[in-house]
Amino acid sequence: MIKKTLRFLWKAALWFFGISIFMVILYKFVPVPFTPLMAIRAVEHKMAGKPMTCSHDWVPIEEISPNLQKAVIASEDANFLTHKGFDFKAIEKAMENNEKGKKIKGGSTISQQTAKNVFLWQGRSYLRKGLEAYFTVLIELIWGKERIMEVYLNSIEMGDGVYGAQEASMVWYHKDAKKLTRKEAAGIAAILPNPRKFKASNSSAYINRRKARISRYIGYIELNY
């Protein structure tokens, strides 16, 4: 019985590693059509009696303004271009703040967020965090920074039922993602902590302050993928 169980677990592990590595290699070249979060949000909309909206329009990174690429780095992960997937100083700082009773916040990098959004479910558990770390290592090794940024900007939630830079640009500013100004890019980046609550245009005072801060930082960032 024990041998059969161990044999089953071994085969399951081999299948998992094989399929996960295959999917990461596939998505290095193929646009990500949908994510688990998109499906979850669609179901949530249905249960709330809302239309099951999922606006998503993939565009290559060449058609996404460098302003937006820099804005999400300034907002979400200042060391994205230099770390190997994990920003241990940011994680340590987040843990210290949480222990002091300050507002709970994580130290997730853009790479970690991309791994979670594309391959995993939402929530907090040791299993999910472990899988997130595994997929983060894989995409750092196989995709590289530019592809991670491309997938991130095409997959993350940027409004209620709005996913990716192109759709967000059309919804918030009625223009293509490649035409976003620094201020507009900062507006989209500013709402990422809670894109279903905040607005990139006609924003609250809190978001306007975030926009101004992000916009200033954009000027100091160089995209050296």
Side-chain angles (χ1 to χ4, degrees):
M1 183 64 180
I2 295 177
K3 287 185 178 180
K4 288 184 178 180
T5 301
L6 291 174
R7 190 179 300 116
F8 170 78
L9 292 174
W10 173 248
K11 289 182 178 179
L14 289 178
W15 274 103
F16 168 74
F17 287 121
I19 292 172
S20 61
I21 292 171
F22 170 77
M23 293 302 296
V24 172
I25 293 174
L26 178 67
Y27 283 153
K28 178 178 174 64
F29 306 101
V30 177
V32 178
F34 67 91
T35 67
L37 180 60
M38 294 178 190
I40 291 170
R41 293 288 189 245
V43 172
E44 289 177 350
H45 284 169
K46 181 67 174 179
M47 294 178 66
K50 301 178 181 178
M52 294 177 68
T53 57
C54 182
S55 301
H56 180 226
D57 186 9
W58 179 284
V59 293
I61 197 166
E62 292 80 13
E63 295 183 23
I64 300 176
S65 170
N67 286 322
L68 185 57
Q69 298 174 50
K70 295 177 182 180
V72 296
I73 292 173
S75 172
E76 299 292 296
D77 184 4
N79 297 314
F80 171 70
L81 295 169
T82 56
H83 65 58
K84 302 300 182 182
F86 307 93
D87 189 338
F88 294 105
K89 289 184 178 179
I91 294 172
E92 183 180 355
K93 184 177 179 180
M95 291 176 65
E96 290 176 356
N97 288 336
N98 294 341
E99 288 176 358
K100 293 176 181 178
K102 296 183 179 180
K103 184 178 180 181
I104 301 298
K105 57 186 297 186
S108 292
T109 63
I110 285 175
S111 302
Q112 288 174 272
Q113 292 179 48
T114 304
K116 177 187 68 177
N117 287 336
V118 174
F119 298 105
L120 301 170
W121 63 95
Q122 301 297 303
R124 294 177 179 273
S125 70
Y126 289 115
L127 173 61
R128 194 193 63 73
K129 291 300 291 185
L131 290 172
E132 178 186 298
Y134 166 73
F135 278 107
T136 298
V137 171
L138 281 186
I139 64 175
E140 281 279 343
L141 289 173
I142 297 173
W143 290 1
K145 295 294 187 181
E146 187 173 34
R147 180 60 175 177
I148 290 172
M149 178 61 74
E150 183 175 45
V151 174
Y152 176 78
L153 288 176
N154 273 289
S155 303
I156 58 171
E157 192 173 31
M158 294 180 167
D160 191 14
V162 178
Y163 302 90
Q166 177 64 14
E167 199 62 35
S169 299
M170 295 302 297
V171 168
W172 295 117
Y173 300 112
H174 312 292
K175 61 169 61 176
D176 290 328
K178 64 182 177 182
K179 297 180 180 179
L180 288 172
T181 66
R182 180 186 293 191
K183 184 178 179 180
E184 291 165 345
I188 292 176
I191 68 171
L192 294 184
N194 196 337
R196 293 194 295 168
K197 175 182 177 182
F198 300 125
K199 295 181 179 181
S201 58
N202 298 319
S203 309
S204 65
Y206 167 70
I207 292 299
N208 283 334
R209 289 194 297 272
R210 281 181 56 81
K211 284 184 189 180
R213 186 166 61 251
I214 292 168
S215 185
R216 287 196 301 271
Y217 287 143
I218 287 175
Y220 298 101
I221 297 173
E222 293 185 8
L223 295 174
N224 54 346
Y225 296 124

